[in-house]
């Protein structure tokens, strides 16, 4: 007999599902941002920051619920790790948007849109996976696909770096753009860490 | 009946109190440093490094005491996390001082003194909180206040970044100053992580 | 009577020994790379990447074995931490090689060869320590020596930074070289974290 983990986990699964939806909304906003005219950036950056705050609240809710729960659906450290890595995803997207606005960078290189499209695909997989955490052993495909996306993101990032440093831009502009591009790459890495956290839960259930 | 955690925790509380005092001394030195004439920097940097070493020794003492203790006043991972985050605070202040000296940067922008003043307030709160760890549930105000300071530090940091990149400085000077300013921002973040570690202990006691 | 930890730990010790050997091979390749003519870099970078992949596989094997083992030779979090820090070492060396190739930097400053020689010595100590993990209390010398090497690496790194910023190079070149040099410094730090993980195991056995 397999005992369902639903009852003890219900609240956790709800909160993770909410975070998954919030990541989906954040990445859509990011896609709008990187294609938007420069004069719209400040307002979009504010909306991104509101999503980042909402994500923070949900993360704190999970950690408080964890600290107060006697029985948890998975190992406590796995729940903590999953919540932290999901939080990192939105933090890095918010930082990218924030820096692009603050630095008043001009049009973003094409590679940035490519980075963002890959983040979008990872976000969709993540939002779909969160409501299914009660059956972690069915989430191994999620882990494999996010890892593939991260490899693609790495290639895009490397092409972007070599374009940034090809001598066509002055050093200050390179520094600004690199800060933005690095945050987007960190967001792709953070998705991989989310997938690793899910994978670690899945392996223990196998 | 509430069983006092004093006896098992005594040694830990003493060591954390010592670390709190050391952070207070480090931040005072940092304030002196950012206002001092350039020719005094090397000597002040050496004194900061001595404080960083003293902090390391106290951190190692906590971790050794933890590894050797059968009974601990809080969860082992919370003690470990609190010790590591406190250590990070001084590491980042030491790195800021060190880089400013090594790079021979000129006068620091005004925003750096503002960053340092906020670090000073966070350090004072931390030094006051450490001797009170035996009653963690009374430390929720500490957590709230340090988080507010971190938000203020974020604003100061963002203004500094946009000033650094406004085109008045050459790229090499921007790179040097940004390294220093980033370390001070990392110190402010580290105080927030200290507060989070304390908060996590407090929640479990609630 | 001291109960041998060999039977439960055998598989872990084998995997850590394999990782130790892989780090040794990676650092030898790094030494070749920093002295090689620019036109050989791409091919050497590919070989480094293959070693990084092999290291990843061994790390995943340890984590899977950990997730599936009921009895482990040390605390689970210590095994996890040792595996992650060993993985970081090769990641940073691979990133250094990768960035130097991607950025098409010219000849590397002399200090880079000095950084690499110190990494080589730390790698040798690590490769020797891994097969001896079953007797962790005999590894305190390892911890002390790696910490000394990290202090030396710090001095070399600081001299490199002040050379990079002495005004002889243009800002873009400084940015590129600094990225490479920072990754090598991160590799030296990662060796210290490996040593800390081993030390933490040793202290618990004392």
């Amino acid at each position: 007999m397999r005992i369902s983990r639903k009852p003890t986990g219900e609240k956790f699964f709800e909160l993770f599902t909410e975070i998954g939806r919030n990541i989906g909304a954040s990445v859509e906003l990011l896609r709008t941002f990187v294609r938007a005219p420069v004069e719209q950036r400040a307002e979009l950056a504010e909306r991104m920051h509101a999503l980042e705050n909402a994500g923070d609240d949900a993360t704190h809710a999970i950690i408080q619920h964890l600290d107060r729960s006697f029985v948890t659906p998975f190992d406590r450290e796995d729940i903590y790790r999953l919540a932290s890595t999901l939080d990192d995803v939105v933090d890095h997207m918010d930082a990218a948007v924030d820096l692009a606005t603050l630095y008043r960078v001009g049009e973003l290189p094409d590679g940035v849109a490519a980075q963002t499209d890959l983040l979008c695909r990872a976000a969709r997989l993540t939002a779909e996976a969160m409501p299914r955490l009660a059956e972690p052993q069915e989430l191994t495909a999620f882990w494999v696909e996010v890892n593939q996306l991260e490899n693609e993101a790495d290639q895009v990032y490397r092409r972007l770096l070599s374009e940034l440093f090809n001598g066509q831009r002055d050093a200050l502009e390179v520094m600004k753009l690199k800060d933005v591009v690095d945050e987007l790459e960190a967001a792709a890495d953070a998705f991989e860490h989310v997938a690793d956290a899910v994978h670690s839960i899945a392996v223990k259930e196998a």
Side-chain angles (χ1 to χ4, degrees), chain A:
Chain A
M1 192 187 79
R2 184 158 195 105
I3 293 169
S4 164
R5 61 188 66 246
K6 274 273 168 55
T8 59
E10 205 78 57
K11 181 71 185 161
F12 286 112
F13 302 141
E14 270 169 34
L15 287 166
F16 278 121
T17 299
E18 185 187 326
I19 288 179
R21 269 198 303 265
N22 194 60
I23 286 180
S26 307
V27 90
E28 281 306 326
L29 190 58
L30 176 67
R31 287 186 81 190
T32 307
F33 182 93
V34 301
R35 289 163 174 91
V38 172
E39 62 274 17
Q40 292 180 13
R41 283 189 188 158
E43 193 235 318
L44 293 169
E46 261 185 55
R47 283 170 52 196
M48 180 62 97
H49 204 58
L51 290 173
E52 193 263 333
N53 280 335
D56 271 358
D57 290 345
T59 308
H60 284 142
I62 285 179
I63 290 170
Q64 289 218 354
H65 190 59
L66 186 62
D67 284 337
R68 289 174 174 149
S69 297
F70 190 66
V71 181
T72 55
F74 314 121
D75 282 356
R76 313 181 84 83
E77 64 268 26
D78 288 329
I79 295 177
Y80 184 83
R81 189 173 153 211
L82 181 55
S84 315
T85 53
L86 287 163
D87 195 45
D88 289 344
V89 168
V90 182
D91 279 359
H92 289 299
M93 296 198 296
D94 181 46
V97 160
D98 199 35
L99 290 172
T101 309
L102 192 70
Y103 289 161
R104 303 171 182 281
V105 295
E107 218 183 314
L108 295 161
D110 291 343
V112 173
Q115 277 188 304
T116 311
D117 290 343
L118 288 165
L119 290 175
C120 200
R121 287 165 61 194
R124 213 169 291 149
L125 293 170
T126 303
E128 283 165 15
M130 291 302 107
R132 297 166 58 213
L133 279 175
E135 271 84 47
Q137 65 284 9
E138 287 170 28
L139 292 175
T140 44
F142 165 69
W143 178 73
V144 173
E145 287 173 79
V146 171
N147 270 275
Q148 281 164 353
L149 288 175
E150 203 274 332
N151 283 340
E152 283 184 57
D154 238 43
Q155 298 305 314
V156 170
Y157 173 65
R158 291 162 43 86
R159 275 199 299 276
L160 256 166
L161 282 189
S162 74
E163 191 200 324
L164 283 186
F165 282 95
N166 68 2
Q168 306 277 307
R169 290 177 171 84
D170 76 49
L172 276 182
E173 190 69 12
V174 173
M175 286 174 71
K176 293 177 188 176
L177 287 171
K178 185 162 188 290
D179 271 2
V180 173
V181 160
D182 279 352
E183 291 291 348
L184 295 176
E185 170 66 4
D189 284 344
F191 272 121
E192 191 184 16
H193 300 153
V194 167
D196 286 343
V198 170
H199 186 244
S200 167
I201 291 169
V203 167
K204 290 183 194 169
E205 299 301 311

